Amino acid sequence: MLYKVSASISAIALLHSIPAQAALPDPVKAMIEAALASKNDAEVQIVVKLAKSTNPSDVAEIDAMLAIYAAEKAAIAAADEQKKLQAGFFENWTGQGELGGFHSSGNTNSTGISASLKLKREGVKWRQNLRALADYQRTNGATDREQFLAAYEPNYKFHERFYAFGLAQYERDRFQGFSSRVTLSGGFGYAVIKSDDTALNIKAGPAWRKTSIVGGGSNSSIAGLAALDSFWQISDNLRLTQDLSAYIEADNSTFTSTAGLEAKLIGALSARLSYSREHETDPPLGVEKTDKISRATLVYDF
């Protein structure tokens, strides 16, 4: 708060020290103020550059307006960082709850219910991600689709873009041939693109997987993990997402991809259509290599 006050006073003093003849035209001033109010740095840079080029005698006044904006933005960032540092473990979580239906083909050809939960906690140095997914169906008293997944992924941020990650994941999908699969992994990730409307993250590292086969038997192996997740905010109400992952190992490699399209309905509620493919290169005998799942769900952000 002290920084905010002192920085703002300095910027205001600079503004008042400008000679009287350097009067920025009202329309230009209004244009700059509108850009600053948007909090969009890219837009601010474009507008300020244009204003300076068309009003070279008013550069000092424009710089003073920009200084106030930068000081207030820095103060907000500092306050947010302090809040994160003081927050308890159960504070500052955000997330998504998803509920709807699915249609699958491959090892089963069925329609059922799908539910998922995603939680995220963004700290100063640590980011924590929790994810759970369940697809389930019973037909005529018999279960013909049963898939569960739970994962915890902590990230340690070395930099705004570069981080280390850990991963603990549990899966169960009897119709793909395994009663459980536990994965432990760790490595490094990098935010290739990071903006308000576009993001692209990649990560890679070694992994250990233990798979319990339906009908008995288990195996464990060392694999290499490579993954990518991205989103594109097409408009205020439409978002496109894409998640890819690959576990490469000697006996059986796993490749998954999920593409989703989300449309805002009202408030925190959205509709989502997604299509997933999961491919096992060497599944148990009698099991299809590829599962394809289409989901239609409602998503609630909190």
Side-chain angles (χ1 to χ4, degrees), residues 210-282:
K210 181 176 181 180
T211 304
S212 297
I213 309 299
V214 171
S218 66
N219 61 73
S220 60
S221 60
I222 299 298
L225 165 63
L228 173 154
D229 66 84
S230 65
F231 79 81
W232 175 31
Q233 192 72 41
I234 302 172
S235 67
D236 289 343
N237 298 317
L238 203 61
R239 169 180 286 210
L240 182 66
T241 63
Q242 177 72 65
D243 297 321
L244 303 171
S245 69
Y247 289 93
I248 311 296
E249 56 182 284
D251 296 329
N252 177 48
S253 297
T254 304
F255 301 90
T256 62
S257 69
T258 300
L261 183 64
E262 296 179 13
K264 281 282 187 184
L265 296 178
I266 183 171
L269 189 65
S270 302
R272 175 178 167 85
L273 298 175
S274 66
Y275 177 72
S276 300
R277 291 175 63 94
E278 183 167 342
H279 180 78
E280 305 276 345
T281 59
D282 189 18

Side-chain angles (χ1 to χ4, degrees), residues 51-75:
K52 286 184 176 181
S53 65
T54 55
N55 299 269
S57 62
D58 301 313
V59 168
E61 186 174 355
I62 295 171
D63 283 341
M65 295 175 69
L66 198 59
I68 294 175
Y69 168 74
E72 291 180 346
K73 186 176 179 181

Side-chain angles (χ1 to χ4, degrees), residues 57 63 88 118 144 179 181 191-192 204-205 259 270:
S57 62
D63 283 341
K118 294 180 181 179
D144 53 15
S179 56
R181 181 157 61 195
V192 180
S270 302

Side-chain angles (χ1 to χ4, degrees), residues 127 153-165 187-191 201-203 229:
R127 176 172 51 237
E153 181 185 323
N155 297 163
Y156 181 80
K157 296 178 283 187
F158 296 107
H159 180 264
E160 184 181 356
R161 293 177 180 265
F162 182 56
Y163 62 92
F165 76 91
F188 297 98
Y190 186 75
N201 302 293
I202 57 174
K203 63 185 178 185
D229 66 84

Side-chain angles (χ1 to χ4, degrees), residues 190-206:
Y190 186 75
V192 180
I193 302 174
K194 186 176 182 180
S195 68
D196 292 338
D197 56 9
T198 310
L200 173 62
N201 302 293
I202 57 174
K203 63 185 178 185

